[in-house]
Amino acid sequence: RIEPQPPVTHALPGSPAYLEEYPIRITMTCRYLELMRLIEKLGTEKHFVVLKEIRSVRTSVEDQDLLNTTVVVAALLFPEMPPEAVVP
């Protein structure tokens, strides 16, 4: 299941937004290796998004490789960098 989350805006007091996040929550049941492949793909040039949260729980003691997983990722948009903004 894929669910869009509310956008998050970052701004300095009295300045326009310098960063906007557009997060999505992905909930799935998968094998550990499939989860690692997904995480690897998230950082590629074609699919770059920020990994904000990951939570996995084994579905059973018998099949320890099968996971119930929630992943939150976000696309970033930099609309305009105010001149007084200092990015660490």
Side-chain angles (χ1 to χ4, degrees):
R1 185 169 69 180
I2 298 174
E3 304 169 277
Q5 303 296 295
V8 179
T9 301
H10 300 271
L12 297 172
S15 296
Y18 64 86
L19 172 63
E20 296 172 358
E21 295 180 32
Y22 293 92
I24 59 169
R25 180 180 307 276
I26 304 167
T27 306
M28 61 189 168
T29 300
C30 62
R31 300 241 171 243
Y32 178 78
L33 186 56
E34 294 166 337
L35 177 61
M36 292 302 106
R37 286 183 184 145
L38 172 66
I39 292 170
E40 183 179 287
K41 293 283 184 190
L42 295 176
T44 64
E45 193 174 309
K46 292 182 181 179
H47 301 99
F48 182 78
V49 292
V50 176
L51 179 62
K52 293 188 65 160
E53 177 185 333
I54 185 167
R55 182 175 300 166
S56 290
V57 178
R58 291 185 185 126
T59 59
S60 71
V61 175
E62 294 82 29
D63 191 354
Q64 295 192 11
D65 191 42
L66 195 59
L67 306 169
N68 286 329
T69 301
T70 300
V71 178
V72 178
V73 296
L76 302 180
L77 175 65
F78 297 89
E80 185 177 329
M81 183 67 75
E84 66 276 8
V86 177
V87 179

